[in-house]
Every structure is written in structure tokens, then in C-alpha cells.
Amino acid sequence: MPRRIISASRYLIAIAAAAILLLATALLLYGAAQTYVLLAGIAAGSLAKSKALVLAAIELVDLLLLATVLYVIAIGLYELFIDDQLPLPEWLEIHSLDDLKDKLIGVVVLVMAVLFLGQLIGWDGQRDLLGFGAATALVIAALTYFASQKKAKKNNALKDQ
């Protein structure tokens, strides 16, 4: 009996997957609304300055990328704990926790780059961006190194078989 209960408890992750999917959906809808506002601002001429337009677009991309990260997490958790046979594109298939981590690392690196780009474009000349840029670059480098080492270990393990 305890074994069956523990085995069935994996379905509790469906709650987390559903909650994260709802949050991703809400962010996507908000992003769509913000896209409309941005396009209306462009049409009305209120975003005549190219710097303001680029900054608004980058902030919008950042928001939509965050929604994408949440979507990937939700789908990944569902695939890992509930149903591994979802009809998804091959690039979104997640069969292990390492697969989910690899997908997340890629998206997190992209979000961090977009975030830094937004800070750079919105820079007023007063703030020190060097420290922020260096910290961002360091985290991106560490994540890239981590991902490359995992791939190298995986390739070596396949060669040894």
C-alpha cells in the first residue's frame, strides 16, 4: 500500500505543471496586450524616439521569453512525472531532468542577454553597467560551461558503450 501511494504521488506534480502553465498563459496574454499598446503607440507617434521604441520592444521580448521559460518548465514537469508520450516537436521533448535543465539553461542565457541589452539601451550614463554586465557574462559563461561539460560526459559515456 505505501508503495502505491508513493508511486501515485507523482501526479501531484500535475498541480505544479498546471499552475506554471496558467502563469505562462497569463504572461503571454499580457505580452499580447502590451504588443497592441506598443503598436498603437507607434501608430499614434508617441514613440517617435527610436531609443524608447527599441527599449519597449526589448522589454516586451523579455516578458515573452519569461513566459516561454515557464511554458518549457510546465511541459517538462508534465512530461517527466505524468506522460512522457506527449505529441511535441523533437526539440521540446524532455525525457530526463537533464533534458529539462539543458532546455532551461538555453532559455535562461537568452533571457539574461536580452535583459542586459535592455539595460544597455536604456542606459542614462549615470549607472555603472560594467559590474552588471560582468556579472551577467560570468553567469552566462558558467551556464555554458556547465552545459558543455554535461554534453562532453554524455558523449564520452556513449563512446564507452
Side-chain angles (χ1 to χ4, degrees):
M1 183 69 159
R3 190 175 187 179
R4 241 186 333 181
I5 291 171
I6 290 171
S7 177
S9 70
R10 70 189 174 104
Y11 291 106
L12 291 173
I13 300 302
I15 297 168
I20 295 168
L21 186 60
L22 285 173
L23 184 57
T25 303
L27 283 176
L28 287 170
L29 292 173
Y30 180 73
Q34 288 303 108
T35 301
Y36 175 78
V37 169
L38 180 61
L39 292 173
I42 292 169
S46 63
L47 285 175
K49 293 182 182 177
S50 63
K51 189 174 181 178
L53 176 61
V54 170
L55 185 58
I58 287 174
E59 288 173 350
L60 185 58
V61 167
D62 190 39
L63 174 73
L64 294 172
L65 282 173
L66 178 59
T68 303
V69 168
L70 293 173
Y71 175 77
V72 169
I73 292 170
I75 295 300
L77 288 174
Y78 189 85
E79 278 186 286
L80 287 174
F81 289 93
I82 311 300
D83 183 4
D84 194 25
Q85 300 302 316
L86 288 176
L88 295 169
E90 186 177 325
W91 60 267
L92 191 54
E93 288 181 6
I94 298 170
H95 300 289
S96 71
L97 197 54
D98 282 338
D99 287 348
L100 182 57
K101 285 192 266 185
D102 289 342
K103 302 277 189 265
L104 288 177
I105 286 172
V107 179
V108 166
V109 165
L110 187 59
V111 168
M112 290 181 71
V114 168
L115 179 65
F116 179 72
L117 183 60
Q119 292 294 316
L120 188 62
I121 289 174
W123 187 47
D124 58 5
Q126 302 297 316
R127 295 172 291 154
D128 178 28
L129 286 183
L130 181 60
F132 180 68
T136 302
L138 187 61
V139 171
I140 289 173
L143 288 172
T144 303
Y145 178 76
F146 174 74
S148 69
Q149 291 303 307
K150 276 193 346 186
K151 280 187 181 175
K153 283 183 182 179
K154 188 176 182 179
N155 288 340
N156 287 338
L158 289 175
K159 286 179 186 176
D160 291 342
Q161 290 179 354

